Amino acid sequence: MDAAHMGADLERVLISEEQIQAKLTELASEIAREYDGKDLLLVGVLKGAVMVMADLARMLTIHVEMDWMAVSSYGQGTKSSGVVRILKDLDTDIVDRHVLIVEDIVDSGLTLSWLRENLESRGPASVEICALLRKPEAAKIEIDAKYVGFEIPNAFVVGYGLDYAERYRNLRSVAVLAPHVYQ
Ligand code: IMP
């Protein structure tokens, strides 16, 4: 879907499909350089990271494996609390492997910081984070994401994997949701 199919649900398009693809191309070439000759496992966090994973992985010029985790963070409303439950764990053993967590967005960073610690405790060679978006204003904890696509303002965004009530994930761009949709 494009923004044109969304009627009045969107306030504005924040990042276009072209901008996303250009940024992912840059990130992919950095990642391919960094992990050249290494055994790299991409770990996507369901469901938001599906689009980033699909596009980024295809842009990489090195061999990778892909695995997925699903986590739910207990929180009130739209805020996460940092208390995380694993709904689907990795199928893969990550001992001595280089792991790159692929995420859609770092908001408070609580989910990712928990996930990183959890994966680090399994004895991997390394764990790094690649996130398409980061909301700096919302950061409660310093989260060291090595690859970040765009810094965005503290607004609720949808599209390119990001949802509101499971909708809008298939929007090609990233857009600010109009407040009347969730008020
Ligand atoms: P964190 O623990 O606060 O960093 O939560 C990150 C998760 O919250 C992301 O993986 C998204 O699923 C969700 N999230 C945070 N901000 C937004 C947003 O603006 N739109 C949609 N989902 C969001």
Side-chain angles (χ1 to χ4, degrees):
M1 293 178 96
D2 300 308
H5 301 118
M6 297 281 162
D9 286 6
L10 306 180
E11 197 169 275
R12 68 196 161 102
V13 171
L14 200 59
I15 309 167
S16 69
E17 182 182 9
E18 292 72 24
Q19 286 173 305
I20 294 170
Q21 298 302 322
K23 185 63 80 175
L24 289 179
T25 308
E26 275 175 36
L27 292 179
S29 78
E30 259 183 71
I31 292 166
R33 228 183 5 254
E34 190 80 25
Y35 290 95
D36 190 25
K38 292 181 180 161
D39 173 26
L40 178 59
L41 176 71
L42 302 177
V43 171
V45 185
L46 293 168
K47 307 170 192 165
V50 165
M51 308 297 174
V52 190
M53 181 74 132
D55 285 342
L56 181 76
R58 282 180 294 178
M59 286 170 186
L60 289 171
T61 51
I62 55 171
H63 286 292
V64 293
E65 285 180 34
M66 285 180 251
D67 203 345
W68 300 91
M69 279 184 84
V71 295
S72 97
S73 109
Y74 291 108
Q76 293 182 335
T78 55
K79 294 274 166 265
S80 72
S81 62
V83 183
V84 177
R85 188 163 58 109
I86 295 178
L87 302 176
K88 187 225 167 284
D89 206 343
L90 296 176
D91 298 329
T92 326
D93 186 342
I94 60 170
V95 172
D96 294 334
R97 306 194 63 187
H98 293 279
V99 173
L100 182 61
I101 302 172
V102 177
E103 251 292 33
D104 48 2
I105 190 166
V106 189
D107 184 2
S108 70
L110 288 167
T111 309
L112 265 181
S113 104
W114 182 92
L115 191 58
R116 177 185 218 150
E117 258 179 50
N118 181 286
L119 294 182
E120 272 168 354
S121 73
R122 305 183 193 194
S126 69
V127 179
E128 297 293 350
I129 293 168
C130 174
L132 181 68
L133 308 170
R134 182 164 58 190
K135 289 184 188 173
E137 287 174 40
K140 283 187 204 156
I141 31 179
E142 276 292 312
I143 173 116
D144 187 17
K146 190 162 184 185
Y147 308 97
V148 176
F150 301 92
E151 305 283 349
I152 62 165
N154 197 17
F156 194 81
V157 292
V158 292
Y160 201 71
L162 289 156
D163 75 306
Y164 173 69
E166 294 300 325
R167 279 192 164 190
Y168 309 102
R169 292 192 198 274
N170 59 330
L171 173 63
R172 293 176 191 273
S173 52
V174 171
V176 178
L177 193 62
H180 72 81
V181 176
Y182 53 88
Q183 269 166 5

